[in-house]
Amino acid sequence: MGGTRSYGDPCGVARGLDIIGERWALLVVRNLLLGPRRFNDLLAGLPGVSPNVLSQRLRELTEHGVVQRRDLGPPTRVHLYDLTEWGRALEPVLLQFGRWGSQSPQLPEGDLGIDSLLLSIKAAFDPARAADLRGVYEFHIDADTYLAEVADDSVQLRRGTAPEPDATLTTDVDTLRAVCLHQITMAAAQDSGMLLLSGDEHARRRLTDLLLAPFAPAPQPSTP
């Protein structure tokens, strides 16, 4: 770690930035919040980062104890990257930072990735609505499966499956993005066959409300 730059400041903010302040580092953490990822998955989820830079960030984050690498061994010989317990403690920081950043008047070009779309659910979740949204929901997005569990006053999101989810959504990331951003309605996506919803009517409605809540259109000012 001798080659990494430091602010040389004992303040906790500066010490934290010594660890996650390098370009791409915090986005690597963001893309691991929902569960372990392979190197190529992280690379695909971070458009613009080079393999060499990603390797360097993963190495630095591992050395600092934020990320850990797990080797699955033969016959797969797959390396998985996951957050340590200390790294996972960054989740509320990232969610709050995301809320703050979403208020920026500048909107760069590019598409929201699947991790950002789903983490928006956590960032915007209203604990007062937990009773109305309670349930276990699966999202089958392209080749990945994500699990959302609403109970008590929180929502938990991770990569994984449930034995008997209350409702299931199956689609691709482009369709999900279009639905979330209100470029197409959920009904139109279902009618076209690009999106499938299964489960009883009430569970499907709860899943839809949970998914779309972070992307509700801003209220229009009333005309005099």
Side-chain angles (χ1 to χ4, degrees):
M1 291 187 287
T4 60
R5 294 177 292 179
S6 171
Y7 288 100
D9 186 334
C11 165
V13 174
R15 291 164 62 190
L17 288 174
D18 283 345
I19 297 172
I20 59 170
E22 291 288 347
R23 183 170 171 82
W24 299 107
L26 207 53
L27 295 184
V28 170
V29 174
R30 179 200 66 187
N31 283 16
L32 290 175
L33 285 176
L34 297 180
R37 296 296 261 175
R38 297 175 301 176
F39 180 88
N40 287 340
D41 295 328
L42 287 169
L43 190 65
L46 295 169
V49 71
S50 70
N52 286 342
V53 170
L54 179 57
S55 294
Q56 182 177 349
R57 293 295 170 267
L58 286 168
R59 183 168 58 252
E60 293 165 352
L61 291 169
T62 300
E63 290 173 349
H64 281 294
V66 176
V67 168
Q68 58 188 340
R69 192 180 87 164
R70 291 192 280 125
D71 301 324
L72 298 187
T76 59
R77 298 190 182 279
V78 171
H79 306 308
L80 288 179
Y81 293 92
D82 197 5
L83 293 175
T84 64
E85 183 178 353
W86 191 50
R88 189 159 296 281
L90 281 165
E91 179 175 300
V93 178
L94 264 71
L95 294 180
Q96 184 59 42
F97 191 57
R99 296 184 193 103
W100 180 80
S102 65
Q103 304 303 310
S104 169
Q106 299 178 345
L107 184 63
E109 293 184 2
D111 294 323
L112 281 173
I114 181 59
D115 291 277
S116 297
L117 285 168
L118 294 181
L119 286 172
S120 296
I121 295 175
K122 293 203 72 168
F125 184 74
D126 181 1
R129 297 199 63 205
D132 297 331
L133 299 174
R134 184 182 299 272
V136 178
Y137 313 105
E138 275 189 4
F139 301 96
H140 299 277
I141 313 298
D142 293 318
D144 291 320
T145 302
Y146 301 84
L147 186 64
E149 298 178 87
V150 181
D152 299 326
D153 59 352
S154 66
V155 57
Q156 300 300 320
L157 269 165
R158 60 181 174 84
R159 295 182 184 91
T161 61
E164 296 183 7
D166 297 302
T168 301
L169 178 148
T170 303
T171 189
D172 59 83
V173 67
D174 291 332
T175 301
L176 180 68
R177 186 187 303 114
V179 168
C180 288
L181 299 181
H182 300 278
Q183 297 166 347
I184 182 175
T185 66
M186 184 78 80
Q190 291 182 80
D191 290 343
S192 68
M194 296 187 297
L195 183 149
L196 299 175
L197 270 179
S198 61
D200 67 61
E201 180 181 354
H202 295 296
R204 295 197 309 269
R205 187 179 302 119
R206 293 196 302 271
L207 182 155
T208 301
D209 289 346
L210 176 68
L211 179 65
L212 297 184
F215 307 95
Q220 299 297 314
S222 58
T223 55

